[in-house]
Structures are given as C-alpha cells and as structure tokens.
Amino acid sequence: VMLLLEEPFMVSMAKRAIHLRDDFEAQGLSNLAWAVAKLRFHHPELMETLGDRGCAKASEFNAQAISSMAWAFAEASFKHLPLFSALAPVAKATLPEAKIIEGTQLFWAVATVEYQDEDLLH
C-alpha cells in the first residue's frame, strides 16, 4: 500500500497541478491550497502558482473560497501579498453574507500574514 504523503508522490502531484494551473476554477484553487497547507507540504513553486492564479481568478471567489485560500496561505507561512490584495475587495463585498467561521478564518489569515488593508478592516 502506497502512502499518499510520500515525498515523490507529493512532488509529482505538485508538478501536475502547476502544469494544469489554467484549468483550475476558484474553488479548486482554494481546495488545493487548503490541502497543501493541511498536509504541511512545503512546495514554494506550487504555492506561488496558486497565489498567482488566485489573483487572476479573485473576482470568482465566494466567501468560503476566500477564507480557505487566505487560511491556507497563512497556515503555510507563505506570504503572497498580491493574492491578499486581489482577494480583499471581493472579501469585503462577500463578508455580509459570509458565515462566522469564514470571516474568522479570513481575519486570522490577514493578521497572520500581517496584511494591511484599512478598507477591508472597516
């Protein structure tokens, strides 16, 4: 039985995800970022790619995807401030209908990466 967390397998999956980056929708990006952070898999090129694609797809994110994406980057200690800048206006627009956990995760992530945005915080 192969362990899914074996390094060669994870690196292979990361390379595949980078190759397919243009095929990911916003929810898929946030799901993958969440999984990478949850598994504590350190792959800077993958995180950079996810952050860049998140910037390009920011307008497509809903409150859950924003909070998961922000949480993942903060949890992975990967400061991709352009991603936070791209997500901030969308987050502000979706906060009124966000669940408490989504808002909490978002603000924890913003504080953790030390992202400064006065408009988001008011």
Side-chain angles (χ1 to χ4, degrees), residues 20-119:
L20 295 173
R21 67 185 166 267
D22 294 335
D23 295 342
F24 283 95
E25 299 298 330
Q27 189 66 50
L29 291 169
S30 69
N31 289 348
L32 181 55
W34 181 89
V36 168
K38 189 72 173 166
L39 293 172
R40 300 188 188 283
F41 176 59
H42 181 75
H43 198 286
E45 184 182 0
L46 176 58
M47 292 303 287
E48 187 71 30
T49 298
L50 294 173
D52 291 347
R53 291 305 300 152
C55 288
K57 298 263 186 185
S59 65
E60 299 173 21
F61 279 71
N62 61 26
Q64 188 273 329
I66 291 168
S67 69
S68 292
M69 190 77 153
W71 176 88
F73 275 77
E75 180 69 15
S77 300
F78 196 91
K79 283 190 178 183
H80 193 295
L81 296 181
L83 173 64
F84 281 79
S85 293
L87 293 177
V90 184
K92 184 165 177 134
T94 61
L95 276 175
E97 69 262 7
K99 296 176 183 172
I100 291 173
I101 188 70
E102 294 163 347
T104 303
Q105 283 181 333
L106 174 62
F107 289 119
W108 174 84
V110 165
T112 300
V113 301
E114 300 174 338
Y115 175 72
Q116 300 291 319
D117 186 324
E118 291 298 320
D119 195 42

